[in-house]
Amino acid sequence: MDGEKRLDSGTAAAVEAAEAERFRTLQAGLAEQYSTVFADQHLHRTIVVLPSLTLDTEVLSKITGAIHYEQRSLCLLMLLRYPNARVIYLSSDPVPEAIVDYYLHLLPGIPGDHARSRLTLLACHDTSPRPLVEKVLERPRMIERIRAAMGDPAHTHMTCFNVCAAERRLALALGIPIYGCDPDLLPIGSKSGSRHVFREAGLDLPDGVEDLADAKDLGEALVALKSRNAASARAVVKLNDGFSGDGNAIFRFPAEMDAGTLRARMPDLLPAMDFVAEGMSWDRFEAKFVEMGGIAEIFVEGDVKESPSVQFRIDPAGRLETVSTHDQITGGAAGQVFHGCRFPAHADYRLDIQASGKRAAEVLRRRGVLGRFGIDFISVRDGGRWRHFAVEINLRKGGTTHPYQMLQFLTDGTFDEETGTYLGSGGRPLYYYASDNLQAPHYRGLTPDDLIDIVVDNGLHFHTATQEGVVFHLIGALSEYGKLGLVCVAGSEGGAAELYNQTVGVLDREGRRSTGGSLDEKGPAPANGTGHSYV
């Protein structure tokens, strides 16, 4: 039996190696497609959108309405603004037509019917809590339908939320490249891999230990951290492939305990960690830690602290582009859970994190990374200056990707790297406040049609002429979970936060009216007028 298992394991490894080689050959054609098809907005092209969250299923299950996060990529329907572009959008469950119409009517200069004729929606009719790509691969007839709708494979590419081995298999089945990172490079973007990249780039990072394999490694790492940081009260423990903070835990160092006692007490202290994911236990966390590996690092303390990130893109020609900066909005007991973002990051430090992030991005470019990715920092104000600690690389699209793409599609503006600001088509700076976690009990029962009625009746809909207003996403999660996302665009930081607060107020009022909710029910937290905690 053991021999059979080794043979099976060896066969699987050989198959995966062969797939990886075929994929590299397929990807080599993307540069040619990029230099010709991408460069001419009038050429025929097809984009296959695979919004699969190919992440750990158990950790993903902790996110409310996770299946509807596939709808965050509906912003890519804006690609239908190219008159000869076709989009094939894949999903676990059918996307309601009301939501499709909502996006198509945001298209500038393109009639909705014209765009709809170039859109193919294909659903698996499977809401099981598994990655979408697995469901597609199980449906050979669906793969045939994708092929039939694609047209010329030489003018077709796939875009994904993240690229893993399963996405690679689908690309090979369709014979098209992916505008995204080769899955063989994913370890670079793990929590341990991130720390290695940051060191190579010469960036400051929290004192920590990476490449931990089990609870014994973790305990020893925490003892070592405490010995080097006697005044520290907390450490963060992270699963290598955790995301949105739900793979994290907070370890609290007992007061006045020497290293020997701390080591001896570890079997009792580790299960008592504060786990960020709701309902997580030590037994389950330990099993995930053994499966994924992880890191431990000192918790960065500070009275005035922000969580900025900088986004980059490496194109198929190998060019590195700074895309944007954001201040991340985090929540939870330890501020570890991603809720949303503000664009751009604060003027005090946005250029600093651009420059620091670019050093790490150059390392990634040399390693062969392709597509969009983000680099996260923790920034602490120390007197009159800010200190920035690099903490994470996300070799995928993230929660800051779709708001910024929507801004670009709607306003046709440009990012000014010299100032770190975005200029709309008329040269006017634009800002936004975005959230993936606008949630309240009294929103449940509101349908997509209800939401659109409320938005139009209250003048919140995005106006192309003024380049201000609100764009919603995660609309499919509204009725069942009382949850949705939004991007509030305005001509100033304060204006974007004010628009967010106005929108929340309208939704609270209309939601309570529609569902009979109490006026005392707690709604989403308001945005600060300037969007920054230290102002």
Side-chain angles (χ1 to χ4, degrees):
M1 180 64 72
D2 289 343
E4 290 178 5
K5 286 183 178 178
R6 284 195 295 271
L7 180 61
D8 289 345
S9 176
T11 301
V15 169
E16 188 165 331
E19 287 181 347
E21 184 60 34
R22 289 171 54 209
F23 182 70
R24 283 190 285 271
T25 301
L26 188 62
Q27 288 292 93
L30 185 62
E32 175 65 22
Q33 189 179 144
Y34 184 78
S35 65
T36 56
V37 179
F38 283 50
D40 187 342
Q41 296 184 3
H42 294 280
L43 282 181
H44 290 269
R45 75 197 66 198
T46 301
I47 304 96
V48 179
V49 181
L50 177 69
S52 178
L53 276 68
T54 313
L55 303 163
D56 183 80
T57 304
E58 186 174 353
V59 178
L60 189 63
S61 69
K62 305 300 179 184
I63 299 177
T64 303
I67 193 73
H68 296 288
Y69 276 66
E70 293 175 5
Q71 293 182 13
R72 293 195 304 184
S73 294
L74 285 170
C75 64
L76 294 175
L77 298 192
M78 299 293 102
L79 290 168
L80 293 167
R81 65 181 181 164
Y82 301 138
N84 293 305
R86 286 182 287 181
V87 171
I88 302 171
Y89 197 94
L90 311 179
S91 60
S92 292
D93 209 33
V95 181
E97 280 295 329
I99 297 177
V100 175
D101 287 345
Y102 171 75
Y103 281 93
L104 294 185
H105 282 88
L106 289 169
L107 279 165
I110 297 290
D113 288 344
H114 191 280
R116 187 65 180 86
S117 70
R118 294 180 280 113
L119 172 63
T120 301
L121 300 168
L122 295 174
C124 295
H125 297 271
D126 180 349
T127 59
S128 61
R130 298 178 300 139
L132 167 62
V133 65
E134 293 181 6
K135 302 170 189 177
V136 176
L137 287 168
E138 293 170 352
R139 292 163 168 80
R141 288 179 178 270
M142 186 172 183
I143 294 174
E144 287 300 321
R145 291 189 184 98
I146 299 171
R147 283 201 199 100
M150 280 182 355
D152 186 356
H155 285 202
T156 305
H157 75 279
M158 187 190 304
T159 181
C160 310
F161 174 75
N162 61 326
V163 186
C164 298
E167 281 79 4
R168 179 168 63 193
R169 286 195 295 274
L170 181 58
L172 290 171
L174 295 172
I176 59 174
I178 300 176
Y179 195 164
C181 191
D182 189 320
D184 284 352
L185 298 177
L186 289 180
I188 301 174
S190 69
K191 302 300 186 293
S192 292
S194 296
R195 290 180 60 85
H196 289 300
V197 170
F198 296 148
R199 285 201 188 94
E200 184 176 340
L203 302 187
D204 290 334
L205 65 164
D207 188 11
V209 184
E210 59 275 2
D211 301 318
L212 305 177
D214 53 28
K216 181 180 178 181
D217 282 356
L218 175 57
E220 289 298 325
L222 290 167
V223 171
L225 286 177
K226 183 61 175 177
S227 68
R228 298 198 297 263
N229 302 271
S232 293
R234 294 184 285 178
V236 185
V237 177
K238 300 178 181 179
L239 300 175
N240 262 337
D241 298 322
F243 51 91
S244 296
D246 278 334
N248 296 2
I250 304 299
F251 181 89
R252 300 181 186 277
F253 293 107
E256 300 179 359
M257 185 176 290
D258 60 45
T261 306
L262 181 60
R263 182 177 290 108
R265 289 281 310 281
M266 275 297 165
D268 299 321
L269 295 174
L270 289 177
M273 288 193 295
D274 298 324
F275 302 103
V276 173
E278 187 176 347
M280 182 65 75
S281 67
W282 165 244
D283 287 344
R284 293 162 67 192
F285 189 86
E286 182 184 18
K288 290 294 179 187
F289 202 89
V290 171
E291 176 187 339
M292 297 181 181
I295 69 170
E297 56 189 22
I298 288 297
F299 190 97
V300 178
E301 307 283 0
D303 294 333
V304 180
K305 185 167 65 171
E306 296 286 350
S307 300
S309 70
V310 56
Q311 290 71 47
F312 297 96
R313 178 174 55 196
I314 298 172
D315 68 29
R319 292 184 293 255
L320 173 63
E321 175 189 3
T322 305
V323 173
S324 59
T325 64
H326 291 81
D327 279 322
Q328 298 181 87
I329 302 163
T330 57
Q336 297 281 302
V337 180
F338 177 82
H339 284 177
C341 57
R342 298 179 291 257
F343 170 83
H346 196 271
D348 283 357
Y349 51 74
R350 70 172 73 117
L351 297 182
D352 291 336
I353 63 167
Q354 273 185 205
S356 294
K358 199 163 192 176
R359 286 157 58 189
E362 284 288 357
V363 174
L364 297 177
R365 186 182 63 81
R366 292 196 296 269
R367 301 275 187 91
V369 167
L370 171 68
R372 292 177 181 267
F373 58 91
I375 298 175
D376 295 346
F377 292 83
I378 293 177
S379 300
V380 179
R381 194 168 68 175
D382 183 6
R385 60 186 287 270
W386 286 87
R387 299 181 62 201
H388 306 290
F389 300 91
V391 293
E392 188 170 326
I393 296 170
N394 291 303
L395 286 185
R396 54 172 172 79
K397 296 177 181 177
T400 59
T401 304
H402 56 281
Y404 184 76
Q405 286 185 311
M406 185 58 76
L407 177 70
Q408 286 184 301
F409 289 141
L410 291 173
T411 64
D412 203 24
T414 57
F415 179 71
D416 181 2
E417 189 171 350
E418 291 188 3
T419 63
T421 57
Y422 181 89
L423 305 178
S425 57
R428 174 192 179 210
L430 294 174
Y431 304 77
Y432 63 71
Y433 190 107
S435 174
D436 279 342
N437 204 37
L438 189 65
Q439 186 172 10
H442 46 273
Y443 295 171
R444 292 194 188 105
L446 291 174
T447 68
D449 288 321
D450 294 333
L451 175 66
I452 293 166
D453 286 344
I454 290 169
V455 169
V456 173
D457 288 346
N458 289 274
L460 298 174
H461 191 60
F462 185 85
H463 294 275
T464 303
T466 64
Q467 297 191 335
E468 293 193 353
V470 185
V471 182
F472 291 91
H473 56 275
L474 286 178
I475 299 174
L478 180 59
S479 187
E480 182 177 357
Y481 298 101
K483 181 178 183 177
L484 76 163
L486 76 172
V487 185
C488 300
V489 182
S492 68
E493 291 178 275
E498 183 180 348
L499 183 57
Y500 171 87
N501 291 334
Q502 178 188 353
T503 304
V504 170
V506 168
L507 291 173
D508 282 349
R509 183 185 70 240
E510 297 296 333
R512 292 186 179 106
R513 178 183 300 168
S514 299
T515 62
S518 167
L519 292 176
D520 295 327
E521 280 184 326
K522 186 178 179 181
N528 185 291
T530 59
H532 297 282
S533 60
Y534 61 90
V535 174

